[in-house]
Every structure is written in structure tokens, then in C-alpha cells.
Amino acid sequence: MTPRTAVRTATRIATADGQSATVTSHSAAVTDWATRYFGSWWNAAPAEPPISGALVSADVDLDAYEDMAADGDRGQGAVEADYAGSPMLHTRHTDGSVTAVQSGERLAYRWSPSLRRLRIVGDDETVVATAAARLAREIVRGMLLVEGWQILHASAVTRDDGATLLTLGDKGAGKTTTAFLLARAGWRLLANDRVFVRLEQGYVRVLPWPSAAACGFGLLDALGLFEPVADRLRAGELMHPTQDQRVTDALLAGRREPLWRANGKEMKPQFFPDQLDTWLGMTLATEGRAAGLLFPQITPGGEPRLLDEPRRLSEADFFTAGTEDRYPDVFGLLPMTGGSAGLADRLTALPHQALALGHDTSANAALLEKTADALLD
């Protein structure tokens, strides 16, 4: 645990659209975490007082946790929700503030909307740092939604001129695979799972959604990155703490076979956004301009090829508060906004291509590069 000092450190995050929030803490590890988590995607950098705007104050403070937890227990009308996989009790007070407690995580929160300040306290540095980054992102997400941005289930890569390819599809369709292969081929990675999009003067502007990135053993090995990642772990460097210990053990031992949970979900290596650049060699981008759409589907044993099947955007491609499954809006950070009538039409009108990907990474990469160039030429 990093020693607590009288000096507070701060990290300011700011999107290319100008929305911002600041994370402060007595622990430099908490603000360093925010810097790594948002990185160059959301222009994270150390900040100095005076600090204005939305503020997330996050500390390892057992006494403050117990006091806030007691306040939460005394609250009237507490509601239970599952937040980030852990039970949470939250109470909305008459002044609009919200107190929330996750006793299993030993985390307590207090959101004061009039001050635009969120206080987070707990007894574990990693848990506090994770919560601070997550809630800072939710605060900025709310600001972007107010400004008319919407969220797409898509990965995205960008050329130097800002032209951006969005890759859409259901879970397991190959969104991350497509983005990583093109990023390794020289495109800049804008997002691996979700993006913010907004219609602006006849074009669709794209901003990244910062998050940890999962990369399966097969893709990691095919990219020639399994051993470099394993060597970093053996040297004492750490990956994202949401990574299952069994994945870490397999990397250290050099075992490349995929690992599976009882529910059939693959357990994958998890990377901080900054590690996509420093470990995996993918340059990150802060924004782009939608110029084409890809609709991949992975067909095990098949050859990579273009498909003639029509594919259009659907409501399922857009991410809304109603489809949020891990982070319900218990603090009231997200506004109720309607979609842009012309956004889906403008996206649908872009050049697009459906394609099948197999398990030959070199062949997949060759087809993706050729198709990407053809769509944007």
C-alpha cells in the first residue's frame, strides 16, 4: 500500500470534445491508475490546484469508510443493486445526494450533485483506484450524453487523416480481433469494444470509450505477443487486476491453451489501455471521423472471405442505460436522452462490408488490410 501523505495528487482527464473530470487522492497509486486507465484516449495528465469542475476524491481511509457505511445503514429507503458484480446498497437523500455502500468490497461512496463531487473511501488501494477510474468515466459519460453523444457497440481504428473504420457485430463476432489486427498493421486504435458517436455537420465524429482490453490466448500468440507479455510478467510487471489468477499462472508457465469458466466463457489476459501501446505496440487515437463499417463473423475452420450478406445497423448496436448490465446508474449521473434521428441513417450510408474471418491470423490480417483500404479509397 502506498503511504498516505498530506499532499493530494490529482489526474485530470479530458476528452477531445472538452468534457473533463479530475481524480484526486492522498495515494499517488490511485491517480497513477487513472492516468494509465484513460491514458492518451482521454488525455489524462497530472493536475495542479486549483481544481474546478467534476471531482472524484478517492482515498484509502478505514475510519471514513466505517463512518460513511454507518450513514448508509441509517439511510431510509435504501435500495439494493448489483454494481460491478458486487451487491450495493444506495440511498438518495432529500438534497439529491446519494450514499452507497458495497460492504463486500469495503467501499463507500457519496455523490453531491450540486458540488459535482464524488467521494470514495475504502480500505484497499487497488479496489479504491478501480472504483475511482470507473466512476470518473461514468461522470464524463454523462457529460457526453448531455452533449448529444451516443454509444455504439463497436471497435474502431483510425488512419492518420482521421478516417475511421467501425467494426460492429454481436459478442464473439470479431470486433476486437479486427481492431487489433489493423492496429498492428499501422492503424491507430480508437476503441476495442465501444465508441461514442455524434452527428456533426454531415459527418459522424467518433470518440473512444476507455476500458481494459481482453485478448484471448490464441490471438495473443498469433500476433507474436504471448512470449513478450509472459516475459514482462516474469520480470515482475503487472497486468490489469481483473485478470483471473489462472490466466496469469498460464502466462507465466507458457501455457497457450484457452482457459474456460464453468459457464463456457473464455478467461482472457486483461490489459490496461496504456499497455496496448507499451506492451502490444498499438498506437492509440483520441478521436476520428467515421468513414466505413465492417461486419465480421468468425467461422472456425473457414477461409477468410468477403460476404455478400446484407447487414445494417440495428437498435442492438447502440448501447443505452437500459442495456447496461454492470454499472446501473445508482448515482443519477446519466441523463435521459433520445437518439439522433439522422445518426443511424448517416452511419448506414457509409461504405460497408461483411466478411468472414477464420483462425489463420495472417490470412485474416491480409483480408482486413485489403478490405479497409478498398472501403476508404
Side-chain angles (χ1 to χ4, degrees):
M1 182 181 296
T2 302
R4 174 174 171 163
T5 68
V7 178
R8 295 192 72 82
T9 60
T11 292
R12 183 176 183 271
I13 57 176
T15 71
D17 188 47
Q19 310 305 318
S20 66
T22 303
V23 177
T24 73
S25 179
H26 284 298
S27 170
V30 173
T31 50
D32 287 347
W33 186 296
T35 301
R36 295 188 64 191
Y37 194 85
F38 297 104
S40 58
W41 267 335
W42 275 8
N43 302 301
E48 297 291 341
I51 295 169
S52 60
L55 181 67
V56 177
S57 175
D59 289 296
V60 177
D61 189 327
L62 182 58
D63 291 339
Y65 163 75
E66 291 177 344
D67 288 343
M68 287 175 62
D71 287 343
D73 290 340
R74 289 192 293 267
Q76 298 297 313
V79 178
E80 183 171 353
D82 186 85
Y83 195 88
S86 177
M88 171 187 279
L89 282 176
H90 57 98
T91 304
R92 185 171 299 277
H93 307 289
T94 56
D95 63 355
S97 63
V98 177
T99 300
V101 181
Q102 288 180 290
S103 56
E105 299 293 319
R106 295 184 67 78
L107 277 173
Y109 313 76
R110 181 166 294 141
W111 167 242
S112 301
S114 60
L115 300 175
R116 299 179 71 196
R117 174 173 176 174
L118 178 67
R119 174 79 169 137
I120 302 174
V121 290
D123 71 348
D124 182 89
E125 193 171 69
T126 297
V127 173
V128 170
T130 304
R134 179 185 301 132
L135 268 302
R137 185 181 62 187
E138 290 297 279
I139 288 171
V140 174
R141 172 184 171 187
M143 295 176 183
L144 289 168
L145 294 179
V146 167
E147 295 299 319
W149 292 89
Q150 296 183 61
I151 302 172
L152 272 181
H153 285 288
S155 67
V157 292
T158 303
R159 292 193 314 199
D160 289 341
D161 63 359
T164 299
L165 276 177
L166 300 173
T167 302
L168 298 101
D170 297 332
K171 192 174 184 64
K175 295 190 295 295
T176 297
T177 296
T178 297
F180 280 15
L181 289 176
L182 288 173
R184 292 280 293 176
W187 293 68
R188 293 187 293 163
L189 183 66
L190 189 62
N192 71 293
D193 184 58
R194 301 179 194 174
V195 293
F196 288 93
V197 288
R198 185 173 72 177
L199 188 60
E200 294 191 1
Q201 299 179 347
Y203 73 95
V204 177
R205 189 177 179 187
V206 187
L207 297 180
W209 166 284
S211 66
C215 181
F217 282 111
L219 178 58
L220 198 65
D221 194 26
L223 292 173
L225 294 169
F226 186 98
E227 278 304 320
V229 169
D231 285 343
R232 284 180 176 268
L233 285 176
R234 293 170 188 141
E237 296 187 64
L238 301 176
M239 299 178 71
H240 198 278
T242 60
Q243 178 169 290
D244 192 286
Q245 184 61 42
R246 288 168 288 183
V247 172
T248 302
D249 293 342
L251 285 166
L252 290 171
R255 298 193 302 268
R256 292 165 164 79
E257 298 80 12
L259 299 172
W260 305 93
R261 299 188 188 277
N263 61 6
K265 184 177 180 181
E266 184 179 356
M267 295 183 289
K268 300 179 180 181
Q270 301 278 337
F271 296 91
F272 276 103
D274 72 318
Q275 292 172 329
L276 297 174
D277 181 3
T278 58
W279 287 34
L280 306 187
M282 302 177 190
T283 303
L284 306 185
T286 60
E287 66 174 309
R289 181 188 70 258
L293 308 179
L294 292 174
F295 296 99
Q297 60 184 56
I298 293 179
T299 55
E303 294 292 326
R305 65 191 188 281
L306 300 182
L307 301 175
D308 293 329
E309 302 171 6
R311 172 70 160 86
R312 294 176 60 87
L313 271 83
S314 69
E315 290 185 4
D317 291 314
F318 287 89
F319 189 87
T320 67
T323 58
E324 178 63 84
D325 53 356
R326 283 184 54 80
Y327 310 121
D329 187 23
V330 298
F331 298 103
L333 302 174
L334 308 181
M336 297 297 294
T337 58
S340 168
L343 178 59
D345 291 341
R346 185 69 186 89
L347 287 168
T348 300
L350 293 174
H352 55 277
Q353 178 65 57
L355 64 163
L357 301 177
H359 283 169
D360 184 330
T361 299
S362 296
N364 287 342
L367 178 64
L368 286 168
E369 291 179 56
K370 181 178 179 180
T371 304
D373 290 340
L375 278 181
L376 300 191
D377 285 345

